[in-house]
Amino acid sequence: LGDNMTDAASCLKDFVKMLLLLMIAKMLRGQHMLERSKALISWFKVLTETINPHSDNVAAHFKDVTQQIHGHVETALRDNLALADKAMAQMLSDANRRLADKSV
């Protein structure tokens, strides 16, 4: 799945994507090896690009969940030592901003 993340994500329902985004954001708060953090951020990026915030079962919860995700991402950027890598931190920040833009 790692090589075909976009293909895999396209098979997921948007509600599942929303839950995965929340779980990945929570996971990023912890300390992980650099490769694990890269993989989590890659999945986070793909899911933010492919989620439809207006789909059934998502629209009613999307704004609240994206606020929770934003808080977890901010904590991760502050506390996760692997995110001292500026490129990884930027990729996560950009994806988080893209997700926030979808909640407007």
Side-chain angles (χ1 to χ4, degrees), residues 27-96:
M27 290 174 68
L28 283 167
R29 296 179 309 177
Q31 301 303 318
H32 300 285
M33 300 297 288
L34 186 62
E35 289 305 313
R36 162 92 30 131
S37 292
K38 282 182 182 178
L40 290 171
I41 292 169
S42 293
W43 273 106
F44 189 87
K45 180 179 181 281
V46 167
L47 292 170
T48 61
E49 291 169 351
T50 60
I51 191 169
N52 175 2
H54 306 293
S55 67
D56 292 342
N57 299 324
V58 173
H61 308 285
F62 193 73
K63 187 170 184 144
D64 179 52
V65 174
T66 55
Q67 289 174 345
Q68 292 177 50
I69 291 168
H70 177 74
H72 295 310
V73 168
E74 290 299 313
T75 300
L77 288 167
R78 184 183 64 238
D79 297 344
N80 186 338
L81 298 177
L83 296 177
D85 180 293
K86 291 186 188 280
M88 283 182 34
Q90 189 64 51
M91 183 187 294
L92 179 59
S93 293
D94 290 347
N96 192 40

Side-chain angles (χ1 to χ4, degrees), residues 11-22:
C11 296
L12 299 173
K13 293 184 183 248
D14 289 302
F15 187 77
V16 172
K17 290 178 188 179
M18 182 175 68
L19 294 178
L20 281 171
L21 283 164
L22 181 59

